[in-house]
Structures are given as structure tokens and as C-alpha cells.
């Protein structure tokens, strides 16, 4: 009972905490490497910001939908946790080895759209609502691109299970077998965590968007949830494209952590380097350029599976 | 969790759905009633598949078909709502006295 | 009656999920906010999806999550676009023939519930050796390929039909040609009536609707 129920839960919570902290530290390191001075020491600053948020007063707007407003950050964190729960660390070390874990990750992306819209809508505030609407308009295209890319990696594995997808990369990693897949998937990752160039839901032109009205502990949960989602996403990307736990000399979980850190660093670097897109241009880019590219990726994967 | 309890749950969902589909004035709320009925139908189909179908794959296939039907119902429903709203500036069933436009 | 083996934990989880599915399903028609209503319906669907996973239909349960998440998001958007009072800041009760509807709902539940209690169904649980996901995939792309492909074709037809229905212009002019919206006050100007075009004759003007 203990090992079946509590161990996976503890594992996921541990990954969320460590992963969220790693995102905050890495982002500060990347920023100072690129020449943006960071206040405070890199290793302590995330914790002091967290402690400061905990002591702050939680803002209130006029007649918000309280339950939804307070639940939305927690639900987004829960979605990040569900994503992390299906990421395998070795052939046997995985919190939940669901046979349809690839589809479950697709549902996490779809439900994230709901939660982000709920977060923007429930505050009963104009800029937050616009942020929520923006995400719904864009989120649908992220989901579609991600699904085609993920079907592509499920084809050679002949399975919808992440452990099988990793096993199918024993000879050749998917990043080489399907060259379009990882770049497309990274864009989806930036999109669904609304990070960097694709931060349109919580962007500064909306004074913070869906998060414009939250402060104090709910703000802390929302920030942690976004970081947790980025960690979960990099876990999935490392699993389906970079061969997961596969690698010589070192044990599987170590390889997996290194690959996740590599994906995280690339995402955070892109987040700092690229300028933010205008939302309407972004929709055009998604539907006219990236979605057809994901079709090509899928056809490529299909031909590869037939040969 | 037995077949009987699962079917009772499905019956409850279908009952609530019937109430919603018949009582709501707004088109979109009416569609929610229909969706709730289909929710119960899908649950019943999976329950029969799991307990008395001996694992026949058609049981699962039926659920997939119902999901496709739901998507079609939603899309057509919304298209009709848009068309009616354009014509009548209204979204309640009472405002439709004829489908003339 | 059934012989499927599962632990106490599954029974407790089923009871909680069943309660959640029914309560949220009921709340759909009892909340003031249309957006809340669509998300209550989503919770009801997710609860049923988890029950499906408990029943070993692992693909269908997870498919429920993403299908319904997208559907309910679209539904919430339509609510905000078309309904008055999407935020639920005012109390709202938009029902007709409520007694008949309650009667029909209760009658439906009683008839179906009686069938569940009184009828005897064969006791043939899923064999332990069956892989439900593989079996579903083989069926969809094997024996039932025709049904599956027909569903795909119907979906394509739906897409075309939806575009035709919701597009502003048809073959014989504007889609709203000849229909007059009801007045804002009795005898007054129709709501949202397009402004008269100052270009006059010359045909193909656009109607300036801003919904």
C-alpha cells in the first residue's frame, strides 16, 4: 500500500520542488550570463522571493469567482504534477506507468487551456480576461501541433507508453530520426507555459495578464506551477526525443536529469533571447507555418515506420 | 463498483441530462443537457464492455463513436446558434418561430 | 453478481467519483454563471473518465479528458459571446416547462435504474490477458475500419457544413438576408440592425456586426 500509493506521490512532490527551484536558479544564471544584472545571490534569491510572497497580503478584486480564482493556480500545479507523474526515470523508476501516458500528456496540455482561461476569467478584471482569451486562441494550436508531434514518436514505438517510446530509441534517438519533432515540441513547450517569446497570456503589455491581479501566496503557487509545468515539459521532451534514461556509463536517472537540465537551459535561453510576438501574428505563424510542418513531421514518421 | 452501481450512475446522469435538455431555454445550455445524456451513455457502454462483454472490442469502439457524435453535435449546434443569433439577435429557443432564413 | 477482483480502494474511489459526477452534473443547471456551468460539466466528464480508467478502459478514460477539455473550453467561449450574464453576477433562471422536464428526468432515471436493478446481464468480465488499448486499436483499424472511416468522413462533412452555416455570406447574398431582429423596445429599432450603407447601390457591402 505504502510503496504503491505514497512513494509515487512523494516522488512527484520532490521533483516539483527541486525542479521549480532549478528553473528559478537557471533562469537567473541565464539572465546574468546574458548581461542582465540580478539582485541578490543566485542561489538564495528564489527562496527569499518565495518567503516574501508568503508574507504578503493576497489581493482581492471586486466580485471575483473566489473558488475558481483560488483553485486555478493549484489546478495548474496539479496538472504539472500529473505530467511529472508519467515521466520515466528508468525502465522501472516511474511514478505511474500508464499504458496511455502519451495521451495523458496531451490531456494535460488541453486541460491547461481550461485552467489558464479560468484563472483569467475568474478574477473579474479586464486585463486578466484578455490574457485568458489570448491563451485559448493560441492554446488550441499548441495542442494540435503537440498531438501530431507526439503521434509521430508513438509510431516507431508502436505504443502510447512513455517507457516504450524510450525503449524504441535504443538504436537511434528520435531527435535524429524525426528532425522536425524537437524544434516544434520546444515551441509548444514555450507556448503552454507561456514563457519568453510566447508569453502572451501573462505578458507585460497586459500588466501581467491572467496574473495581473494576484499577489501573495496565490501568486507564489502560480509561479511555482508555471515553473513546474516547464519542468514536466522538459521531462517529456527528454523522454520522447532525447532517449530518456538511455546512455552509457552513468545510471539512467542521472542521464535523465542531465537531459532535462539541457532542455530546460535551452528553453530558458530561448525565453531570454527571443522577443515577444504579437498575438495575432503568433496565431498566423502557428496555423500557417508550424501546423503544416507538424503534418510533414507525422508523414515523415509514418514513412519511417513503414520502411 | 459493480455493473449495477455503474448503470445506476449512468441512469442518474441520463436523467439529469433529460431534465436539462427539456427545461433550458438557452441553446447552449440545452446542448449541455444532451452532452450529459451522452456522458451517461458512454459510461454504460464501457461498464457493459468491462463486465458482460467478455472484452469484445466493439464495446470500446461504441464509446469512440459516441465521442465523434458529441463533437458533431457540438459543432452543428454552435453553427446553428451563430446563424440564429445573426438573424434574430437571440439565443433562446422561444425566439425561433420558424427556420425561415 | 460480478467476479472482477478489485480492492477496497477502488470501491471508495468509485463512490467519490460517482458522487462528484452526479453533483457537478446537477450543478450545471443550477449555477448562475454560464462559464461555471460548462466547467461543472467538464468536471462531471472527468469523473466519468477516471471511472473508465478504473474499469481498465485506459485509452477511453484519458481520451475523455482531452476531448472534453477542448469541447468545454469552446463551450465557455460561446457562453461569453452569446449569453447575458456569463459571469453569474446576477441570479438567473432561464427555464421553461420545468415540471414536465423534472418529470421526464425522474421517469428516465427510474426506468433505466429499474432496468439496471432488475435485468440480469451475462457475467463475462474482460479477460485478464486482454490488452484493452491494443484491442481497441486493432478493431478501429481492422474489422471496423469502415465505421471509423465513416466517422471521419462525417466529421469532415460537419466541418464544411459548419463553415457554410456560420459564414456571413451565402450564394444568394448575406446569410441574414430578409430576417428582422426583434426590437429593443416594443415598436423600436431592431437590436443590432446593420447601419444603412452610405455607398448606396453597388451591392456587396459588409454588414458590420460586432459581437
Amino acid at each position: 500500500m505504502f510503496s504503491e500509493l505514497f512513494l509515487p506521490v512523494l516522488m512527484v512532490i520532490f521533483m516539483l520542488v527541486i525542479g521549480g527551484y532549478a528553473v528559478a536558479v537557471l533562469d537567473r544564471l541565464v539572465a546574468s550570463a546574458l548581461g542582465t544584472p540580478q539582485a541578490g545571490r543566485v542561489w538564495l534569491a528564489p527562496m527569499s522571493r518565495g518567503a516574501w510572497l508568503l508574507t504578503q497580503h493576497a489581493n482581492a478584486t471586486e466580485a471575483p469567482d473566489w473558488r475558481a480564482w483560488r483553485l486555478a493556480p493549484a489546478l495548474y500545479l496539479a496538472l504539472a504534477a500529473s505530467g511529472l507523474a508519467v515521466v520515466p526515470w528508468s525502465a522501472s523508476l516511474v511514478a505511474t506507468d500508464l499504458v496511455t501516458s502519451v495521451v495523458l500528456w496531451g490531456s494535460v496540455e488541453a486541460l491547461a487551456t481550461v485552467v489558464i482561461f479560468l484563472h483569467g476569467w475568474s478574477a473579474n478584471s479586464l486585463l486578466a480576461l484578455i490574457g485568458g482569451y489570448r491563451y485559448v486562441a493560441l492554446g488550441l494550436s499548441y495542442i494540435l501541433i503537440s498531438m501530431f508531434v507526439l503521434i509521430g514518436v508513438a509510431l516507431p514505438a508502436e505504443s502510447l507508453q512513455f517507457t516504450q517510446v524510450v525503449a524504441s530509441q535504443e538504436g537511434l534517438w528520435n531527435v535524429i530520426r524525426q528532425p522536425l519533432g524537437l524544434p516544434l515540441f520546444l515551441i509548444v513547450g514555450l507556448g503552454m507555459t507561456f514563457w519568453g517569446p510566447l508569453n502572451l497570456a501573462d505578458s507585460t503589455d497586459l500588466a501581467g495578464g491572467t496574473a495581473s491581479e494576484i499577489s501573495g501566496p496565490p501568486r507564489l503557487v502560480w509561479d511555482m506551477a508555471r515553473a513546474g509545468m516547464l519542468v514536466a515539459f522538459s521531462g517529456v521532451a527528454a523522454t520522447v526525443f532525447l532517449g530518456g534514461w538511455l546512455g552509457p556509463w552513468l545510471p539512467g536517472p542521472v542521464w535523465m536529469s542531465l537531459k532535462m537540465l539541457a532542455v530546460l537551459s535551452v528553453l530558458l535561453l530561448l525565453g531570454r533571447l527571443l522577443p515577444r510576438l504579437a498575438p495575432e501574428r503568433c496565431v498566423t505563424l502557428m496555423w500557417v507555418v508550424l501546423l503544416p510542418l507538424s503534418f510533414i513531421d507525422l508523414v515523415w514518421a509514418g514513412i519511417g515506420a513503414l520502411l | 463498483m459493480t455493473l449495477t452501481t455503474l448503470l445506476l450512475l449512468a441512469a442518474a446522469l441520463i436523467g439529469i441530462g433529460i431534465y436539462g435538455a427539456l427545461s433550458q431555454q438557452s441553446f447552449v445550455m440545452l446542448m449541455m443537457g444532451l452532452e450529459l445524456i451522452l456522458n451517461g451513455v458512454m459510461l454504460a457502454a464501457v461498464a457493459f464492455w468491462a463486465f458482460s462483454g467478455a472484452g469484445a472490442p466493439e464495446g470500446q469502439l461504441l464509446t469512440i463513436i459516441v465521442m465523434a457524435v458529441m463533437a458533431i453535435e457540438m459543432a452543428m449546434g454552435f453553427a446553428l446558434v451563430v446563424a440564429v443569433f445573426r438573424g434574430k439577435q437571440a439565443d433562446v429557443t422561444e425566439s425561433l418561430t420558424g427556420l425561415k432564413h | 453478481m460480478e467476479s472482477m477482483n478489485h480492492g477496497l480502494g477502488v470501491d471508495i474511489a468509485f463512490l467519490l467519483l460517482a458522487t462528484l459526477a452526479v453533483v457537478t452534473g446537477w450543478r450545471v443547471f443550477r449555477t448562475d454563471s454560464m462559464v461555471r456551468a460548462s466547467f461543472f460539466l467538464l468536471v462531471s466528464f472527468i469523473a466519468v473518465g477516471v471511472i473508465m480508467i478504473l474499469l481498465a478502459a485506459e485509452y477511453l478514460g484519458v481520451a475523455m479528458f482531452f476531448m472534453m477539455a477542448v469541447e468545454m473550453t469552446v463551450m465557455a467561449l460561446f457562453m461569453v459571446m452569446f449569453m447575458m450574464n456569463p459571469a453569474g453576477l446576477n441570479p438567473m433562471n432561464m427555464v421553461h416547462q420545468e415540471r414536465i422536464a423534472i418529470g421526464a428526468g425522474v421517469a428516465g432515471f427510474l426506468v433505466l435504474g429499474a432496468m439496471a436493478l432488475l435485468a440480469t446481464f451475462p457475467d463475462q468480465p474482460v479477460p485478464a490477458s486482454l490488452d484493452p488499448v491494443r484491442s481497441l486499436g486493432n478493431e478501429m483499424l481492422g474489422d471496423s475500419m469502415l465505421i471509423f472511416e465513416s466517422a471521419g468522413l462525417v466529421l469532415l462533412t460537419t466541418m464544411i457544413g459548419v463553415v457554410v452555416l456560420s459564414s456571413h455570406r451565402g450564394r444568394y447574398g448575406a446569410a441574414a438576408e430578409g430576417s428582422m431582429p426583434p426590437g429593443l423596445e416594443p415598436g423600436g429599432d431592431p437590436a443590432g440592425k446593420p447601419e444603412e450603407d452610405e455607398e448606396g447601390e453597388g451591392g456587396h457591402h459588409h454588414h458590420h456586426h460586432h459581437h
Side-chain angles (χ1 to χ4, degrees):
Chain A
M1 190 70 187
F2 177 80
S3 62
E4 271 182 16
L5 205 62
F6 293 104
L7 220 54
V9 172
L10 283 179
M11 195 174 142
V12 168
I13 292 174
F14 177 75
M15 283 192 285
L16 268 183
V17 172
I18 297 288
Y21 179 68
V23 168
V25 170
L26 264 178
D27 195 36
R28 282 182 165 76
L29 284 176
V30 167
S32 47
L34 290 173
T36 316
Q38 296 292 302
R41 264 184 291 178
V42 170
W43 301 97
L44 281 178
M47 295 205 212
S48 59
R49 178 171 158 76
W52 178 76
L53 279 176
L54 266 183
T55 58
Q56 292 300 301
H57 184 69
N59 188 24
T61 53
E62 191 188 346
D65 186 336
W66 277 110
R67 269 181 300 179
W69 203 27
R70 288 291 176 254
L71 263 177
L75 288 176
Y76 197 52
L77 191 66
L79 285 177
S82 331
L84 276 174
V86 292
V87 170
W89 291 80
S90 77
S92 53
L93 184 64
V94 45
T96 323
D97 199 10
L98 195 70
V99 290
T100 49
S101 42
V102 174
V103 193
L104 186 85
W105 175 253
S107 337
V108 165
E109 291 176 353
L111 288 167
T113 314
V114 173
V115 170
I116 295 164
F117 175 75
L118 201 61
H119 191 231
W121 172 80
S122 56
N124 193 21
S125 141
L126 182 66
L127 294 172
L129 183 66
I130 296 175
Y133 265 129
R134 270 192 193 173
Y135 190 80
V136 171
L138 292 160
L140 292 178
S141 49
Y142 302 149
I143 296 169
L144 286 175
I145 295 170
S146 154
M147 286 204 179
F148 286 114
V149 169
L150 287 177
I151 294 170
V153 297
L155 271 178
E158 298 184 7
S159 169
L160 294 169
Q161 198 168 10
F162 277 134
T163 41
Q164 297 293 318
V165 173
V166 175
S168 76
Q169 302 176 66
E170 194 84 57
L172 185 64
W173 289 0
N174 277 335
V175 65
I176 303 167
R177 184 153 48 189
Q178 298 169 16
L180 276 175
L182 185 60
L184 284 173
F185 202 54
L186 288 181
I187 294 170
V188 170
L190 286 177
M192 73 168 293
T193 48
F194 37 102
W195 207 275
L198 297 182
N199 182 2
L200 300 164
D202 277 12
S203 54
T204 39
D205 66 333
L206 294 178
T210 69
S212 58
E213 298 288 351
I214 54 169
S215 62
R219 176 84 197 204
L220 178 63
V221 177
W222 184 248
D223 288 350
M224 276 173 64
R226 278 182 69 190
M229 193 57 100
L230 204 64
V231 175
F233 173 81
S234 53
V236 172
T239 302
V240 299
F241 286 110
L242 301 177
W245 67 77
L246 299 174
W249 311 306
L250 297 170
V254 178
W255 269 119
M256 185 63 193
S257 323
L258 288 176
K259 289 170 185 175
M260 274 176 78
L261 276 178
V263 176
L264 263 184
S265 317
V266 170
L267 284 175
L268 294 173
L269 195 65
L270 288 176
R272 290 276 173 183
L273 283 178
L274 298 176
R276 197 179 58 232
L277 283 165
E280 53 270 33
R281 272 193 211 161
C282 189
V283 172
T284 313
L285 177 76
M286 292 293 155
W287 285 90
V288 178
V289 182
L290 298 182
L291 199 57
L293 279 180
S294 71
F295 293 157
I296 295 173
D297 177 68
L298 185 55
V299 172
W300 178 275
I303 293 170
L306 281 177
L307 289 178
Chain B
M1 191 167 63
T2 63
L3 182 59
T4 313
T5 52
L6 281 163
L7 290 181
L8 279 176
L9 171 60
L13 291 173
I14 293 173
I16 299 171
I18 293 174
Y19 160 75
L22 288 179
S23 71
Q24 297 296 314
Q25 285 181 309
S26 151
F27 286 117
V28 190
M29 292 298 287
L30 187 158
M31 279 160 58
M32 289 203 183
L34 295 179
E35 302 250 315
L36 208 55
I37 294 176
L38 292 177
N39 192 14
V41 170
M42 286 193 287
L43 179 65
V46 172
F48 276 124
W49 167 81
F51 285 107
S52 57
E58 288 88 350
Q60 291 194 75
L61 186 77
L62 180 64
T63 311
I64 295 271
I65 299 294
V66 174
M67 279 186 195
V69 168
M70 281 174 91
I72 293 167
E73 173 243 307
M74 275 252 316
M76 290 314 274
F78 281 137
L80 285 170
V81 172
V82 172
V84 170
F85 195 89
R86 287 240 171 80
K88 305 247 174 180
Q89 305 293 313
D91 74 324
V92 290
T93 46
E94 267 80 357
S95 65
L96 269 193
T97 47
L99 282 167
K100 276 181 258 181
H101 49 286
Chain C
M1 179 173 159
E2 285 83 16
S3 57
M4 191 181 250
N5 289 320
H6 50 64
L8 182 67
V10 172
D11 276 332
I12 295 172
F14 169 70
L15 272 181
L16 292 176
L17 290 165
T19 316
L20 183 68
V22 171
V23 169
T24 50
W26 173 245
R27 293 285 298 158
V28 169
F29 304 109
R30 278 288 165 273
T31 179
D32 291 333
S33 156
M34 296 293 179
V35 173
R36 245 177 268 158
S38 46
F39 291 139
F40 274 129
L41 188 58
L42 176 61
V43 174
S44 181
F45 275 119
I46 289 177
V48 169
V50 179
I51 292 176
M52 285 181 182
I53 295 179
L54 291 181
L55 286 170
E58 276 158 323
Y59 181 79
L60 295 174
V62 179
M64 282 283 265
F65 299 164
F66 73 81
M67 288 283 292
M68 297 312 143
V70 176
E71 277 200 36
M72 293 307 132
T73 315
V74 175
M75 208 157 221
L77 280 192
F78 268 79
M79 290 298 189
V80 179
M81 275 194 277
F82 288 122
M83 304 296 297
M84 68 286 272
N85 189 26
L89 296 174
N90 310 311
M92 182 193 66
N93 191 21
M94 284 176 60
V95 289
H96 52 193
Q97 52 187 12
E98 197 179 14
R99 287 214 183 125
I100 301 172
I102 291 176
V106 171
F109 171 68
L110 289 180
V111 169
L112 292 171
M115 278 163 67
L117 287 172
L118 300 177
T120 44
F121 300 104
D123 183 13
Q124 296 169 323
V126 176
S129 58
L130 185 94
D131 178 351
V133 182
R134 198 166 285 274
S135 132
L136 174 62
N138 282 332
E139 179 68 18
M140 277 203 310
L141 299 174
D143 290 344
S144 301
M145 181 76 135
L146 188 65
I147 301 174
F148 188 53
E149 291 286 307
S150 318
L153 203 65
V154 174
L155 280 169
L156 178 67
T157 321
T158 309
M159 280 189 236
I160 298 170
V162 164
V163 172
V164 169
L165 270 176
S166 53
S167 105
H168 228 161
R169 293 188 52 80
R171 224 187 311 172
Y172 304 111
E177 190 69 52
S179 68
M180 184 61 78
L184 280 175
E185 63 250 14
D189 271 344
K193 187 185 169 199
E195 286 162 35
E196 289 305 317
D197 215 348
E198 50 273 18
E199 292 161 28
E201 294 292 311
H204 309 288
H205 57 266
H206 290 282
H207 289 264
H208 299 282
H209 287 278
H210 295 286
H211 305 304

